[in-house]
Amino acid sequence: MTGFLELHSAAVAQLEAAATLEAIEAVRVEFWGRKGKLALASKEFGKLTPEERARSGKLLNEYKQAFEQLYEFRKARLDAAALDARLESEWLDLTAPAPGVRPGSLHPVTQVQKELEDLFVSLGFAIMDGPEVETEHYNFDALNIPSHHPARDMQDTFWLRDGRLLRTHTSPVQVRALEKFGPPLKMIAPGRVFRNEEVDASHEHTFYQLEGMMVDRDVSVAHLIYFMKTLLSAVFHRDVTIRLRPGYFPFVEPGFELDIQCLICGGSGCPVCKHSGWVELLPCGLVNPEVLRYSGVDPKEWNGFAFGLGLTRLVMMRYAIDDIRLLMSGDLRFLNQF
Ligand code: FA5
């Protein structure tokens, strides 16, 4: 039967040229669909002799099989290409940060606090916590600052209506820790404190301190100085100029003020050090026996040292931050630098 070969050749050529799954399907329908050109050809077999019909039927079958094989091959190739294209366009890196969102980082105060916690834990100190809303008893009385005492004016206080207050320092945690655990005790208490005072380059109403205390037998000023030096060299990794002078705090006796030479101006004077060249950083002293007594500890048997590090000021010195207000500002241009 004539014409089969031409039709078959046309079907093969179109199948090879078709570039999409839809296109090869259209070729299949055109030639081998129910009403396709080659499918219809068999309808003419009636006019043939039985021998011719058998030969033509066989030939047509071979063309059909050849077409189907090629069709399956092309389909597999196009299926694979379509899958590749889809994988390429829908590829998603689930670990990539969302566009436009920067990963967060720890606040510089938190970073230094964590470093100091690690240091003191390695020296055998426990980390403790106390309430930010505190009673007058723990914030003042138990620290040997009764209500008539002028030392209360040293720390301007936010009082609450119920008679409690926002703690003005972390020292109340000393008393709470001693009451709870008793001596011997080595503890630090980092935390947020509040003072109702005017804000400037080195004073905030809300800032961080890190209290430290060691109570044992025969604790001396030498122990105190050893731990203060260890603390400062861990934070600054270099020698810094300090001075120790007498300081008055009702809860220590003797008391000291440890100042650091201002690292913003190098000691020549600036708003941070109030043009004095020195920054008050680490008041400390030997625990007043009265405080031990208030906490139920016998001062004849036990004594100790305590310090109240100005953590926020320490961070300013460490990173040469020339205005304390930046630390509370929440300004991402500032925070992104850490
Ligand atoms: C106290 O708060 C004592 N409780 C410290 C203490 C503890 C002494 C244990 C002895 C034994 P003072 O008021 O000086 O002390 O504050 C301690 C430190 O907090 C200061 O040296 C300073 O570094 C920091 N500081 C004080 N006021 C502010 C403020 N408004 N803003 C930022 N830092 C401050």
Side-chain angles (χ1 to χ4, degrees):
M1 179 113 190
T2 54
F4 279 10
L5 182 59
E6 287 76 8
L7 281 175
H8 175 63
S9 303
V12 167
Q14 285 188 34
L15 203 51
E16 276 173 344
T20 62
L21 288 164
E22 292 77 28
I24 57 164
E25 177 60 11
V27 177
R28 191 190 67 74
V29 171
E30 182 182 342
F31 290 92
W32 284 107
R34 255 186 335 114
K35 293 183 181 160
K37 289 175 182 162
L38 277 158
L40 288 177
S42 59
K43 296 243 161 69
E44 295 171 28
F45 283 8
K47 303 173 197 155
L48 303 177
T49 63
E51 296 79 42
E52 276 176 335
R53 198 182 304 149
R55 208 160 8 94
S56 296
K58 192 167 168 264
L59 191 63
L60 203 59
N61 238 347
E62 279 168 14
Y63 288 155
K64 189 174 185 191
Q65 277 177 15
F67 179 89
E68 278 171 357
Q69 265 181 15
L70 184 63
Y71 176 88
E72 288 306 324
F73 174 75
R74 292 287 297 141
K75 184 170 179 306
R77 288 287 282 271
L78 290 170
D79 272 340
L83 183 64
D84 281 350
R86 206 173 131 205
L87 286 176
E88 187 56 40
S89 70
E90 293 179 7
W91 182 84
L92 201 58
D93 179 0
L94 295 177
T95 63
V101 177
R102 294 173 61 102
S105 61
L106 294 177
H107 191 277
V109 171
T110 311
Q111 290 184 26
V112 175
Q113 179 182 323
K114 279 177 172 290
E115 275 180 37
L116 288 174
E117 286 176 358
D118 287 348
L119 169 74
F120 277 99
V121 166
S122 78
L123 296 169
F125 283 67
I127 302 173
M128 297 194 177
D129 206 2
E132 291 179 348
V133 173
E134 193 45 288
T135 63
E136 189 178 358
H137 170 77
Y138 283 111
N139 198 80
F140 290 125
D141 299 296
L143 288 164
N144 200 29
I145 319 175
S147 55
H148 59 269
H149 200 289
R152 284 214 179 182
D153 301 335
M154 287 160 64
Q155 301 178 357
D156 299 308
T157 309
F158 287 112
W159 290 94
L160 305 184
R161 283 205 194 93
D162 63 4
R164 291 184 300 165
L165 50 85
L166 298 185
R167 67 176 177 188
T168 57
H169 51 176
T170 41
S171 297
V173 191
Q174 284 182 33
V175 182
R176 288 179 175 275
L178 269 180
E179 278 181 357
K180 191 161 180 193
F181 300 104
L185 183 65
K186 287 198 282 183
M187 53 77 74
I188 58 164
R192 195 157 57 152
V193 302
F194 310 87
R195 291 190 193 174
N196 187 3
E197 61 180 293
E198 220 160 289
V199 170
D200 61 26
S202 57
H203 291 82
E204 258 291 6
H205 48 72
T206 304
F207 58 100
Y208 286 81
Q209 290 188 339
L210 186 140
E211 196 78 11
M213 185 176 68
M214 171 175 170
V215 174
D216 209 319
R217 297 186 168 91
D218 301 323
V219 175
S220 71
V221 173
H223 291 108
L224 171 63
I225 291 178
Y226 167 78
F227 282 107
M228 301 300 91
K229 274 191 170 163
T230 308
L231 184 164
L232 290 175
S233 51
V235 171
F236 291 104
H237 307 294
R238 64 183 163 114
D239 279 339
V240 286
T241 310
I242 55 161
R243 70 178 184 190
L244 201 62
R245 58 193 168 90
Y248 174 68
F249 301 91
F251 35 96
V252 286
E253 179 57 39
F256 306 100
E257 285 277 9
L258 190 155
D259 304 333
I260 182 170
Q261 192 170 62
C262 182
L263 295 176
I264 310 289
C265 61
S268 60
C270 69
V272 172
C273 59
K274 295 236 165 70
H275 303 282
S276 71
W278 296 93
V279 175
E280 283 181 10
L281 192 66
L282 230 176
C284 52
L286 295 186
V287 181
N288 190 316
E290 280 306 312
V291 175
L292 293 176
R293 222 172 269 127
Y294 269 119
S295 313
V297 175
D298 181 1
K300 288 199 202 81
E301 196 180 345
W302 304 97
N303 73 334
F305 71 72
F307 62 87
L309 169 70
L311 184 58
T312 307
R313 291 239 181 111
L314 180 76
V315 171
M316 292 176 74
M317 293 296 112
R318 156 100 166 243
Y319 296 112
I321 297 165
D322 62 6
D323 196 318
I324 196 169
R325 288 165 287 203
L326 286 167
L327 285 159
M328 287 270 289
S329 65
D331 187 336
L332 289 179
R333 289 168 306 176
F334 169 73
L335 291 172
N336 279 340
Q337 298 174 58
F338 299 91

